[in-house]
């Protein structure tokens, strides 16, 4: 497979408009969504940011490679983009990024595309090739350049193989010479195993060849470990390089000098690592409890970004339960209206999706994976149990959030408390001490303190919502609807959506008033863009008009992210107009008392609303208002 089979021209962005990291990621994701290469932009974005939380994919040298492997991807794709002014991508070298490759890899697909992505990664350590990419003007030039470069690489590999198969003139001298060369081993790994793993491998191999050093590199990629190091190779090596951003098997290196560095150091600091490994200039590794793992030191982040990362980890794992269980529940309500509550299909769907099925796991899953994001695997069980205690105490989503953060930090505290225990019982920490004490402390604090407090708060909020007058409900709908458009998938959007889910689950899965507001608000932005590009054609480029058409489908499907490229290019006009329309749509759903007992689906679940026509009318009015504001506000292309 050629690299250009994944790097399709339709997704290329030859002049990236965004100047911020978040804007650039949104613009790249929108290109994938518009071309139909991903089916869930929200989930894909969450997985991209999950990878960024491990370490920045701005690898330095002007290159950024955000990537994710997820079920949200329909077809393996690489989005190529260039920025003339550069983007502050929080790159590891502190410099702006000018060349971007967003890699979208599907789950459960074959290995061919993964090998192709590995080949792409290896090309990107060639500075001359990057300079050539920067000079390209059209997608056709980019494609031709990659095809030419890949052909050169294939030819070089073939010639090298032929040389290795030809009889050596003096085998004994060659063997003796090779044995005299210093020998080191290395392991490369990144969280998704798509790009950085293979870039580090290639950089280490090339630098070792230049330095006259023999090296064997094991890669921990998406296909698992390849070129696995043997016991003999580890024994003979003067030193070990572990360039990894995820856990790798470490016990085998006991007694060897081991350099543990981020995978980015394998790419950018390969000479330094090899020099130190050859000299044995590294700490002697000691396996603890018969096994050990290695991970890079996490970069310091602000408290806000850390909390957001942990919260998103919980929400992303919870969403499948929300969508699957919620839609089955919504269908069951429809069947109940037609056939009554004694219908067997109604009872089946209620059992699968309702409080005894998928929805029973929402808060425990949320709490468990928040805890796991903070305290790693030992925190998962205490977090889930704490979340379940919140459910049983009617503490709702707020109680679940508290349980997740509590369990995560309890495990971190336990690690510090048990740090100085005798080495002989290190093996008991993960299987005995963390589970028992983590559960005991988390459970006790939830039972006596947090569950009662958050139960009182949760029940009070529900009581307030149930007693709000029409005017206050409309105001709440305006706020929630507007929040869906403020950042289109970011913290404000997620806060509004999570609030609506919390009300829905805490009120017997019947109060879908807030769900109607947030879904209407989220559908407006892409529909407004579509309308504006259709009826104000002289104010948009041909490329924008084509993207505008796809926004009809995205908007009707409740995929707000379709409007992101337009918002990135013209934030003041697009965001302002979309917020106004979304707020109107959210407010109208509350004015007309529309109840929508489904957490996702857009027009495909509209029939389940208490008043489907009025729900669709709310969305249409909001979209028309936003489309008109945007269309009238923008200047014609000639005037620009």
């Amino acid at each position: 497979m050629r690299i250009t089979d994944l790097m399709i021209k339709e997704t290329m962005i030859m002049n990236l408009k965004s100047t911020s990291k978040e804007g650039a990621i949104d613009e790249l994701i929108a290109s994938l969504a518009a071309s139909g290469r991903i089916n869930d932009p929200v989930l894909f974005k969450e997985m991209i940011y999950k990878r960024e939380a491990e370490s920045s994919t701005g690898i330095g040298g002007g290159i950024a490679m955000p990537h994710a492997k997820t079920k949200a991807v329909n077809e393996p794709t690489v989005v190529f983009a260039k920025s003339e002014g550069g983007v502050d991508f929080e790159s590891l070298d502190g410099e702006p990024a000018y060349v971007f490759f967003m890699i979208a890899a599907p789950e459960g697909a074959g290995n061919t595309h993964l090998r192709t992505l590995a080949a792409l990664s290896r090309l990107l350590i060639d500075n001359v090739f990057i300079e050539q990419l920067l000079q390209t003007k059209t997608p056709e030039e980019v494609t031709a350049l990659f095809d030419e470069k890949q052909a050169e690489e294939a030819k070089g590999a073939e010639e090298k193989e032929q040389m290795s198969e030809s009889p050596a003139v003096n085998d004994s001298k060659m063997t003796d010479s090779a044995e005299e060369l210093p020998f080191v081993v290395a392991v490369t790994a990144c969280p998704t195993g798509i790009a950085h793993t293979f870039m580090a491998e290639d950089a280490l191999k090339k630098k070792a060849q230049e330095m006259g050093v023999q090296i064997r590199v094991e890669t921990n990629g998406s296909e698992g470990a390849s070129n696995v190091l043997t016991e003999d190779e580890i024994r003979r090596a003067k030193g070990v390089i572990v360039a990894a951003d995820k856990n790798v098997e470490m016990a085998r290196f006991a007694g060897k000098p081991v350099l543990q560095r981020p995978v980015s150091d394998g790419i950018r600091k390969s000479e330094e690592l090899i020099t130190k490994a050859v000299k044995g200039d590294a700490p002697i590794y000691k396996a603890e409890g018969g096994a050990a793992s290695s991970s890079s030191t996490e970069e310091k982040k602000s408290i806000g970004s850390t909390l957001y990362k942990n919260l998103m980890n919980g929400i992303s794992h919870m969403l499948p339960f929300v969508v699957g269980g919620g839609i089955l529940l919504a269908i069951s309500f429809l069947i109940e209206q037609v056939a009554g509550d004694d219908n067997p299909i109604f009872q089946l769907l209620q059992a699968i999706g309702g409080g005894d099925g998928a929805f029973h796991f929402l808060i425990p899953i949320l709490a468990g994976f928040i805890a796991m994001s903070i305290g790693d695997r030992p925190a998962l069980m205490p977090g889930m149990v704490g979340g379940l205690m919140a459910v049983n105490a009617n503490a709702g989503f707020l109680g679940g959030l508290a349980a997740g953060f509590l369990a995560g930090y309890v495990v971190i505290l336990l690690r510090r408390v048990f740090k100085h225990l005798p080495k002989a019982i290190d093996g008991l920490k993960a299987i005995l001490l963390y589970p028992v004490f983590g559960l005991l402390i988390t459970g006790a604090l939830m039972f006596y303190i947090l569950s009662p407090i958050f139960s009182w708060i949760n029940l009070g909020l529900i009581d307030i919502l149930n007693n709000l007058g029409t005017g206050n409900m409309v105001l709440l709908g305006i706020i929630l609807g507007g929040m869906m458009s403020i950042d289109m998938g970011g913290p404000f959007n997620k806060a509004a959506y999570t609030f609506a889910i919390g009300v829905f689950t805490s009120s017997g899965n019947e109060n879908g008033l807030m769900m109607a507001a947030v879904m209407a608000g989220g559908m407006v932005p892409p529909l407004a863009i579509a309308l504006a590009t259709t009826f104000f054609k002289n104010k948009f480029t041909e490329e924008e008009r084509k993207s505008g058409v796809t926004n009809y489908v995205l908007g009707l499907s409740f995929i707000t992210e379709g409007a992101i490229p337009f918002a990135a290019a013209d934030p003041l006009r697009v965001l302002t107009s979309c917020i106004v329309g979304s707020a109107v749509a959210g407010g109208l759903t509350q004015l007309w008392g529309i109840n929508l007992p489904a957490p996702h689906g857009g027009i495909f679940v509209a029939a389940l609303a208490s008043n489907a026509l009025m729900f669709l009318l709310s969305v249409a009015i909001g979209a028309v208002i936003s489309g008109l504001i945007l269309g009238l506000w923008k200047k014609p292309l000639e005037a620009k």
Side-chain angles (χ1 to χ4, degrees), residues 324-340:
I327 290 179
L328 289 182
L329 274 176
I331 296 173
S332 75
F333 295 147
L334 187 63
I335 292 173
E336 181 187 23
Q337 294 175 8
V338 176

Side-chain angles (χ1 to χ4, degrees), residues 165 268 326 358 398 547 620:
E165 292 175 353
R268 298 298 170 193
L398 294 176
S547 298

Side-chain angles (χ1 to χ4, degrees), residues 74-95:
N74 294 325
E75 299 179 69
T77 310
V78 178
V79 180
F80 171 79
K82 288 196 318 169
S83 171
E84 294 181 1
V87 174
D88 181 5
F89 208 83
E90 300 173 7
S91 297
L92 300 174
D93 60 0
E95 298 297 323

